[in-house]
């Protein structure tokens, strides 16, 4: 289990770091210049302006990455971590009801992905700024 967490954490973390880097670079220079004209220090500019805007800009890509990571957890089955696919394989070995088990697995992933995407979409709508995006 620990190796699956480490591997998926590194895999997802690498993409998340790149998403946040792109979000920080996407903050308009005019906004940073406005903060400088208000005598914000570099730390204050980063903390109160760059970070919140970068998070809001990065949220759609982060949502996509987290949904992808949730689906990628089925790869832990390969190293025999007892997750959903592994447990259903044990049931397949005991019984001949493979179609039913595949439907359960399909339904499980649909529910997890839908809840994750809906929750993050609600956060995105709540944090949306007028004039940015839609």
């Amino acid at each position: 289990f620990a190796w699956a967490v480490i591997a998926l954490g590194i895999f997802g973390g690498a993409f998340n770091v790149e998403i946040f880097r792109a979000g920080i670079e996407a903050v308009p220079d005019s906004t940073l210049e406005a903060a400088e004209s208000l005598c914000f220090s570099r730390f204050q500019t980063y903390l109160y302006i760059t970070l919140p805007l970068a998070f809001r800009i990065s949220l759609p890509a982060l949502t996509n990455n987290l949904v992808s990571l949730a689906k990628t957890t089925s790869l832990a089955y390969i190293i025999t971590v007892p997750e959903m696919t592994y447990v259903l394989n044990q049931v397949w070995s005991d019984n001949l009801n493979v179609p039913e088990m595949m439907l359960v697995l399909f339904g499980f992933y649909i529910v997890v992905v839908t809840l994750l995407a809906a929750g993050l979409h609600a956060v995105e709508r709540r944090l949306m700024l007028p004039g940015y995006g839609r």
Side-chain angles (χ1 to χ4, degrees):
F1 178 75
W3 286 112
V5 170
I6 290 169
L8 291 173
I10 291 172
F11 174 75
F15 285 109
N16 288 345
V17 166
E18 183 62 24
I19 288 168
F20 284 119
R21 184 205 55 81
I24 289 171
E25 287 184 1
V27 174
D29 290 334
S30 59
T31 305
L32 301 177
E33 290 169 2
E36 187 179 336
S37 71
L38 292 172
C39 298
F40 277 30
S41 69
R42 292 185 76 169
F43 180 73
Q44 287 175 322
T45 302
Y46 186 76
L47 184 64
Y48 296 118
I49 295 170
T50 304
L51 214 55
L53 285 177
F55 181 73
R56 288 177 171 119
I57 292 168
S58 302
L59 202 52
L62 184 64
T63 299
N64 188 29
N65 190 39
L66 290 177
V67 166
S68 174
L69 189 61
K71 294 187 288 185
T72 306
T73 58
S74 65
L75 292 178
Y77 163 73
I78 295 170
I79 57 174
T80 64
V81 172
E83 51 84 50
M84 187 67 165
T85 311
Y86 180 78
V87 171
L88 286 178
N89 188 27
Q90 296 301 318
V91 174
W92 297 342
S93 299
D94 297 339
N95 301 318
L96 295 174
N97 55 355
V98 173
E100 292 86 359
M101 291 297 109
M102 290 303 287
L103 286 173
V104 167
L105 183 62
F106 174 72
F108 174 76
Y109 277 110
I110 290 293
V111 167
V112 167
V113 167
T114 301
L115 289 175
L116 184 62
L120 288 170
H121 185 66
V123 169
E124 184 181 340
R125 273 195 325 262
R126 175 118 167 85
L127 295 178
M128 189 171 58
L129 291 174
Y132 285 93
R134 293 183 240 167

